[in-house]
Amino acid sequence: MLTPLGRLDKYASSENIFNRQMVARSLLDLLKEVSDDERDCIAVLERVNRLADDTEPTVRAELMEQVPHIAMFCQENRPSIPFAFSKYLLPIVVRYLADQNNQVRKTSQAALLVLLEQELIERYDVETKVCPVLIELTAPDSNDDVKTEAVAIMCKMASLVGKDITERLILPRFCEMCCDCRMFHVRKVCAANFGDICSVVGQDATEEMLLPRFFQLCSDNVWGVRKACAECFMAVSCATSQDLRRTKLSMLFINLISDPSRWVRQAAFQSLGPFISTFANPSSSSQYFKEEDGRPTEDGKPAGDCNSSEKVRDSGDIRVDASGDVLQEDISDSGTEEPFEDSNSVSLTVELEAETEDETTGRPQKETDIQPSEFLESITSLEPCSEAVFENEPKPNHPSTEAHRRSGFSSHTDSVSEHELYNSFHYWRTPIPEIDIDLELLQAQTPEVTPSPKSSQGKQDIIPSPASNITMATRKELEEMLENLEPHIDDPDIKAQVDVLSAALRASNMDTQEDGTAAGLNRKRIYHSELTQETRLQCALIQDDFVPLISDPDENVESALRYIRSESDLSTNSSSPEDGKKSKIQDVVPQTLLDQYLSMTDPSRAQTVDTEIAKHCAYSLPGVALTLGRQNWHCLKDTYETLASDMQWKVRRTLAFSIHELAVILGDSLTAADLVPIFNGFLKDLDEVRIGVLKHLYDFLKLLHLDRRREYLYQLQEFLVTDNSRNWRFRAELAEQLILLLDLYSARDVYDYLRPISLSLCADKVSSVRWISYKLVSEMVKKLNMASMPTFAVDLMNELVERFCCSPKWSGRQTFVFICQAVLEDDCLPMDQFAVHLMPHLLHLASDRIPNVRVLLAKTLKQTLLEKEYFLNSANSHQEAVEQTIMALQMDYDNDVKYFASIHPASTKIADDAMSTASSTY
């Protein structure tokens, strides 16, 4: 007998927690009961305030879950209860943001975001009630958990409250939180939401206030912060100018790719493709970013960005030319190689790092000072060795391994200064033991050789020993070293050492059996002469005649590295080094970024970065291709072919789903030359890969020329065969694509090649496949009837009658009725032709012994056929036959047949008919 308010007072003051929870849960219903009386509504809202002070956290959390619903009710009834939400409910939401209970805080945060999304909070209230509280919660003396959650809420609010409020109220505190030195959790939240803030405040505020903080976060000492920066890099890039993107951000991203933490490198490589896509030219790619004119200072850096390159990483130094291409990079935590000197210079002093602890492995490094050598024999350059060296070099910091190798002979740059160089091969390999050289014996063998003036200036007393001078003891030592390393051959670095030692051992055995005197004379004469660049290339080609084994500690390692690179290029690339280098060069994005992207297919990346890095590369490849444009497809062609032959089917599946988009980007000629072979390979792949091709079969084939397109008519039949016969969705997708393919082929091709497949799908075991196939056949009838030779349509209809209408199985006869219904509904055939070719056979099914067939016939006649004006005309000769058939069905002994033949049910569509229990098959 209590009034609604009385019940509220009774249970709200109950000592039972569940009663108070029930009150909170039923507040919306209570407000609806008293909505006619404004005073009662206000009374309920006042009691809500008292309920908000409940000591039980579950009651407060339950109340907060109802606040968005109550706010919506107040908004709808605003005339009667104005400002009710702002006065009574919003203070509760804001107060609960600092609640001691975690569940209450989480609920209030979710409620606040919902209220902002629904625009239930006035702009004035946001500025005066919400933002001040959040700023207070992020104060330095605030609770750690509360501060972290408040920062997250501020970041999520930014896109909901707009640019003005974000810039005035949220942005200053956000910048402070990015520099929070005490709690890395706060910095991590800021980094994770950095892109959202940048997209809200725009380019000017991003470059002036946010980018300096972003640079600091990218060099944070906590890897989780740097990982969050890598994940949001694309969004930050979209909010900056093209010049800043090319110079500052590309340098910053290279540091993330070469980060000591594997998790950071993994996130960076996943974001590499999207980041490259932000360099796209909007006029050619139809991609537009909200860009404004940047405000560079006198030194070319954005306002507020002082010494940003030093902020990124103290140990990193990247130089960028005017076009934005990275010329040189030196990062001491893992080390990279310097660009090669001019080919005419044969000496370069290389200093390896002093004995320090490597950042990632913690293993000591040694310092070695290697002096130039005048002998080509010092170069350890067997083919397996050269490959092993570069497979095991640290690649994240290397701008482009391939580009550097190819530039070994063709680049004519100025000499570079000496830098610390860390090379994993030369560092980790077990040093080959030094062997005393019998100088007198060597001089006796080559008395007629006169050293050149250049060689006389060097260390003349250091002469490499021919292979014939290697003692049996040395070979024994090599064999022992190989035996010790074999148990650890799974390690890539160890494998490289084994390859080198094996090659050296084989070389020593070969040279022992040969007459080494003439060969040694030849080599000395070649090297001691003043060699041109072309002569050195010829030296690289005589590796079969030259088998080095042991080097003196003072020999030139850099010349050895150059020789190894040159030999690798000559053995793997038949084209000239200049052509190989040119094939990877472009000017759309910084070359270093593209080189790192191309390296994602390197097998070593899967071991050192991410096992699915190739999949990420494949996923972003269309975006990278769109950015570079079809004129730079040569940069990506090899990478695409490598991904298309990847062992992981997920990688190939990713490419299969996007190959049609890539074809649009590349155009007809490149598609026919480079994509069609890969497309053909996908057609024969696993079903998981083939489905990607099948889903976009029409999109790809329509881009090909007619003669090339017709070649695939012979292969469409293969889609009917799947690895798993239960994979009916594959056949359903085939039927969908065949409907689209009707527009690409002539009537004869449709009749000869698509017709058999369509009729097979109409008899599929799965009803979903058959329903789509009915639509396919009806569209096929329409196309063939509109062709210049309508005999194809007549032949098809005759085949439908013979194959389905006269089928001994009732499901086949039912299929014929479905096809006729689809033809009638879509007006695929003129009614006079339908009446001649299909209707007599359709009416004949009125005497079918299976009720399901007669039920479907009755529905088709009453709901579809009789709605056509052609059959309503009393002068029509076919009207009498239709009426007689309907009368016969109305007198049928089956009640369902009588029902559908007598009245007009609500269902009028073929899909509804197929789904009904009276007409579907299982």
Side-chain angles (χ1 to χ4, degrees):
M1 300 298 294
L2 293 175
T3 63
L5 289 177
R7 293 199 308 272
L8 176 62
D9 292 334
K10 176 181 178 181
Y11 291 108
S13 59
S14 173
E15 295 182 358
N16 192 325
I17 296 175
F18 299 104
N19 287 340
R20 302 201 299 274
Q21 287 181 350
M22 182 190 66
V23 170
R25 200 175 296 124
S26 61
L27 282 174
L28 181 60
D29 295 332
L30 185 60
L31 275 173
K32 291 180 179 179
E33 287 185 40
V34 300
S35 59
D36 296 335
D37 191 337
E38 178 182 346
R39 289 178 298 178
D40 288 345
C41 290
I42 298 299
V44 171
L45 294 176
E46 290 175 349
R47 287 165 174 79
V48 168
N49 271 334
R50 292 201 297 267
L51 191 64
D53 297 329
D54 197 288
T55 57
E56 177 58 37
T58 57
V59 176
R60 301 198 301 272
E62 190 69 46
L63 173 63
M64 191 49 55
E65 289 181 2
Q66 301 301 318
V67 165
H69 305 289
I70 298 174
M72 185 68 69
F73 173 81
C74 294
Q75 183 71 17
E76 294 172 354
N77 297 271
R78 189 177 184 120
S80 59
I81 45 175
F83 308 109
F85 171 76
S86 176
K87 182 178 180 180
Y88 296 103
L89 298 180
L90 185 57
I92 302 175
V93 176
V94 173
R95 177 154 52 96
Y96 279 4
L97 292 175
D99 196 274
Q100 295 181 352
N101 184 268
N102 181 59
Q103 181 184 2
V104 176
R105 290 199 309 272
K106 296 292 185 184
T107 309
S108 64
Q109 294 163 13
L112 178 60
L113 293 178
V114 171
L115 294 171
L116 290 171
E117 289 175 359
Q118 300 295 328
E119 298 181 354
L120 298 177
I121 305 180
E122 297 291 338
R123 184 181 184 87
Y124 176 78
D125 291 335
V126 173
E127 296 185 21
T128 58
K129 296 182 179 180
V130 178
C131 289
V133 172
L134 291 175
I135 293 174
E136 182 182 353
L137 294 178
T138 55
D141 57 347
S142 178
N143 179 271
D144 292 345
D145 294 337
V146 174
K147 181 192 296 186
T148 304
E149 295 170 358
V151 172
I153 288 294
M154 289 173 60
C155 296
K156 294 176 181 178
M157 279 177 51
S159 60
L160 301 175
V161 300
K163 178 180 179 180
D164 180 57
I165 294 179
T166 301
E167 277 195 74
R168 289 190 293 107
L169 303 177
I170 296 178
L171 186 58
R173 180 50 59 94
F174 178 81
C175 293
E176 293 179 14
M177 294 297 99
C178 290
C179 304
D180 191 307
C181 300
R182 191 170 62 89
M183 287 191 62
F184 79 90
H185 296 287
V186 175
R187 302 196 304 273
K188 184 177 180 181
V189 172
C190 292
N193 296 276
F194 212 96
D196 296 334
I197 298 293
C198 291
S199 61
V200 172
V201 300
Q203 180 177 321
D204 289 341
T206 297
E207 295 182 356
E208 293 177 7
M209 299 185 63
L210 291 175
L211 272 189
R213 274 70 179 181
F214 189 66
F215 276 46
Q216 294 174 1
L217 292 175
C218 287
S219 58
D220 197 275
N221 58 356
V222 177
W223 67 264
V225 178
R226 303 195 302 272
K227 177 176 180 289
C229 291
E231 291 171 347
C232 71
F233 213 94
M234 176 187 176
V236 176
S237 177
C238 291
T240 60
S241 64
Q242 186 70 266
D243 293 338
L244 193 62
R245 189 180 302 142
R246 177 175 289 275
T247 55
K248 302 294 183 181
L249 290 185
S250 61
M251 296 158 48
L252 188 61
F253 198 84
I254 291 299
N255 284 298
L256 292 176
I257 283 182
S258 57
D259 195 271
S261 171
R262 175 170 180 165
W263 302 110
V264 179
R265 297 196 304 271
Q266 179 177 329
F269 273 108
Q270 291 181 18
S271 301
L272 178 56
F275 176 49
I276 291 178
S277 68
T278 62
F279 288 86
N281 183 5
S283 61
S284 61
S285 63
S286 299
Q287 292 183 356
Y288 293 88
F289 305 110
K290 295 180 180 179
E291 294 184 351
E292 302 170 0
D293 293 336
R295 299 179 181 177
T297 56
E298 294 180 358
D299 60 352
K301 297 179 181 179
D305 185 7
C306 54
N307 300 327
S308 57
S309 60
E310 285 77 16
K311 290 181 181 179
V312 177
R313 192 70 55 98
D314 292 336
S315 59
D317 179 29
I318 303 175
R319 292 203 295 266
V320 183
D321 64 359
S323 64
D325 293 341
V326 178
L327 296 178
Q328 182 177 349
E329 178 184 5
D330 177 27
I331 300 177
S332 61
D333 58 357
S334 57
T336 57
E337 289 190 26
E338 295 294 333
F340 298 124
E341 286 188 348
D342 183 52
S343 300
N344 294 325
S345 175
V346 296
S347 64
L348 175 66
T349 302
V350 180
E351 293 183 358
L352 298 180
E353 294 183 353
E355 295 183 358
T356 57
E357 289 292 321
D358 181 65
E359 184 173 359
T360 56
T361 61
R363 289 179 282 191
Q365 304 177 0
K366 297 181 180 180
E367 181 180 6
T368 307
D369 188 10
I370 304 176
Q371 300 298 331
S373 172
E374 301 297 332
F375 298 98
L376 188 62
E377 290 88 338
S378 65
I379 304 169
T380 57
S381 58
L382 286 175
E383 183 171 346
C385 173
S386 65
E387 294 175 357
V389 169
F390 291 98
E391 287 177 0
N392 292 281
E393 284 184 358
K395 297 183 179 180
N397 294 333
H398 201 296
S400 174
T401 304
E402 182 67 17
H404 277 280
R405 281 190 287 183
R406 291 179 175 172
S407 63
F409 296 112
S410 61
S411 62
H412 294 274
T413 59
D414 296 334
S415 298
V416 296
S417 59
E418 297 177 359
H419 282 269
E420 292 181 342
L421 170 68
Y422 171 75
N423 183 292
S424 64
F425 166 68
H426 287 287
Y427 172 69
W428 291 115
R429 71 181 180 94
T430 304
I432 300 176
E434 299 180 10
I435 299 175
D436 295 334
I437 300 173
D438 192 341
L439 298 181
E440 296 180 0
L441 179 59
L442 181 60
Q443 292 172 359
Q445 290 178 344
T446 60
E448 70 279 17
V449 177
T450 303
S452 64
K454 182 178 179 180
S455 63
S456 63
Q457 298 173 7
K459 296 185 177 181
Q460 299 181 7
D461 57 335
I462 301 178
I463 301 176
S465 173
S468 58
N469 288 334
I470 299 176
T471 62
M472 293 301 296
T474 303
R475 296 193 188 95
K476 186 175 181 181
E477 290 180 5
L478 292 177
E479 292 174 355
E480 292 177 355
M481 293 165 62
L482 285 172
E483 291 178 0
N484 295 333
L485 292 176
E486 281 180 358
H488 310 285
I489 200 168
D490 292 338
D491 190 334
D493 293 326
I494 300 298
K495 185 177 183 302
Q497 301 173 35
V498 172
D499 290 340
V500 173
L501 296 177
S502 300
L505 188 59
R506 289 196 303 269
S508 66
N509 293 333
M510 290 171 58
D511 277 5
T512 303
Q513 299 173 3
E514 296 178 355
D515 184 5
T517 305
L521 248 140
N522 233 351
R523 292 191 295 270
K524 286 187 178 182
R525 283 173 179 168
I526 291 174
Y527 193 83
H528 282 289
S529 61
E530 292 295 329
L531 297 179
T532 62
Q533 183 175 356
E534 291 77 15
T535 308
R536 293 194 183 93
L537 283 173
Q538 294 175 2
C539 292
L541 290 171
I542 61 171
Q543 66 158 1
D544 292 335
D545 184 50
F546 163 66
V547 187
L549 184 60
I550 299 175
S551 300
D552 192 87
D554 291 333
E555 290 174 346
N556 190 347
V557 173
E558 184 62 26
S559 61
L561 293 177
R562 277 205 299 269
Y563 186 88
I564 291 172
R565 285 174 173 81
S566 66
E567 186 204 10
S568 177
D569 283 345
L570 293 173
S571 62
T572 59
N573 190 2
S574 59
S575 60
S576 64
E578 290 79 2
D579 294 339
K581 181 181 179 182
K582 182 180 179 181
S583 67
K584 303 296 181 184
I585 301 300
Q586 45 73 47
D587 58 356
V588 180
V589 302
Q591 186 63 34
T592 310
L593 291 178
L594 180 61
D595 293 337
Q596 291 290 352
Y597 178 79
L598 298 179
S599 72
M600 292 175 71
T601 58
D602 195 312
S604 63
R605 294 289 194 204
Q607 300 177 1
T608 59
V609 179
D610 185 6
T611 56
E612 293 192 351
I613 189 172
K615 181 182 177 183
H616 297 302
C617 180
Y619 182 81
S620 57
L621 195 140
V624 176
L626 180 63
T627 302
L628 297 179
R630 67 182 62 173
Q631 69 275 10
N632 292 313
W633 167 243
H634 57 271
C635 299
L636 296 174
K637 179 182 176 182
D638 294 341
T639 299
Y640 191 79
E641 292 175 351
T642 302
L643 292 171
S645 59
D646 195 276
M647 294 297 294
Q648 300 183 65
W649 63 265
K650 292 182 180 180
V651 177
R652 304 194 303 276
R653 173 185 170 95
T654 303
L655 293 181
F657 270 94
S658 63
I659 192 170
H660 67 289
E661 298 288 357
L662 193 58
V664 174
I665 297 170
L666 298 183
D668 297 344
S669 58
L670 289 176
T671 296
D674 298 334
L675 295 189
V676 166
I678 295 175
F679 183 84
N680 295 337
F682 288 157
L683 292 178
K684 302 174 183 178
D685 212 314
L686 301 175
D687 285 351
E688 290 80 2
V689 180
R690 294 169 69 204
I691 189 63
V693 174
L694 181 58
K695 277 185 174 292
H696 303 286
L697 186 62
Y698 167 78
D699 297 325
F700 185 82
L701 294 183
K702 73 178 181 180
L703 302 174
L704 304 180
H705 293 294
L706 181 59
D707 54 345
R708 176 79 70 170
R709 191 186 303 156
R710 291 191 75 254
E711 297 177 2
Y712 291 95
L713 287 170
Y714 308 95
Q715 304 182 42
L716 293 176
Q717 189 78 22
E718 299 176 2
F719 282 111
L720 292 174
V721 181
T722 56
D723 298 337
N724 183 3
S725 60
R726 296 183 179 180
N727 188 7
W728 60 267
R729 291 180 178 85
F730 200 91
R731 301 189 296 276
E733 186 61 43
L734 174 61
E736 295 277 9
Q737 289 297 313
L738 290 180
I739 295 175
L740 301 174
L741 291 178
L742 293 175
D743 296 334
L744 299 182
Y745 295 104
S746 64
R748 174 166 292 278
D749 288 338
V750 170
Y751 184 82
D752 291 342
Y753 298 100
L754 303 188
R755 173 187 53 84
I757 303 176
S758 303
L759 297 181
S760 298
L761 294 173
C762 286
D764 197 89
K765 295 180 180 180
V766 179
S767 58
S768 296
V769 179
R770 296 196 301 270
W771 298 339
I772 303 173
S773 303
Y774 303 149
K775 172 73 173 177
L776 169 61
V777 173
S778 66
E779 292 294 330
M780 189 175 297
V781 170
K782 181 178 181 179
K783 179 178 178 63
L784 296 179
N785 185 69
M786 296 173 61
S788 58
M789 296 180 61
T791 55
F792 290 132
V794 175
D795 293 343
L796 175 58
M797 288 185 285
N798 291 335
E799 186 173 1
L800 291 176
V801 172
E802 179 180 355
R803 185 166 182 171
F804 295 111
C805 184
C806 301
S807 173
K809 295 184 178 181
W810 71 271
S811 58
R813 301 192 297 273
Q814 187 187 54
T815 296
F816 180 77
V817 182
F818 273 124
I819 294 174
C820 292
Q821 187 179 19
V823 171
L824 288 170
E825 287 183 349
D826 298 334
D827 294 324
C828 298
L829 200 63
M831 290 299 103
D832 56 343
Q833 296 188 32
F834 179 85
V836 172
H837 298 290
L838 294 178
M839 196 176 73
H841 306 284
L842 180 66
L843 299 180
H844 179 71
L845 294 176
S847 59
D848 196 279
R849 61 189 182 90
I850 302 299
N852 282 22
V853 177
R854 302 196 304 274
V855 166
L856 184 58
L857 175 62
K859 295 167 70 174
T860 301
L861 295 179
K862 291 290 290 184
Q863 299 171 5
T864 308
L865 189 137
L866 288 182
E867 291 182 356
K868 302 298 178 181
E869 185 178 356
Y870 180 84
F871 296 102
L872 296 178
N873 190 353
S874 59
N876 191 298
S877 60
H878 303 285
Q879 184 184 22
E880 183 178 354
V882 174
E883 290 179 352
Q884 290 179 358
T885 302
I886 290 179
M887 291 179 61
L889 293 173
Q890 290 174 349
M891 299 174 62
D892 196 278
Y893 64 87
D894 187 276
N895 292 331
D896 292 330
V897 177
K898 289 180 181 180
Y899 173 77
F900 285 106
S902 302
I903 62 174
H904 291 275
S907 174
T908 60
K909 295 297 181 182
I910 182 173
D912 298 330
D913 295 339
M915 289 295 292
S916 65
T917 56
S919 61
S920 61
T921 57
Y922 302 94

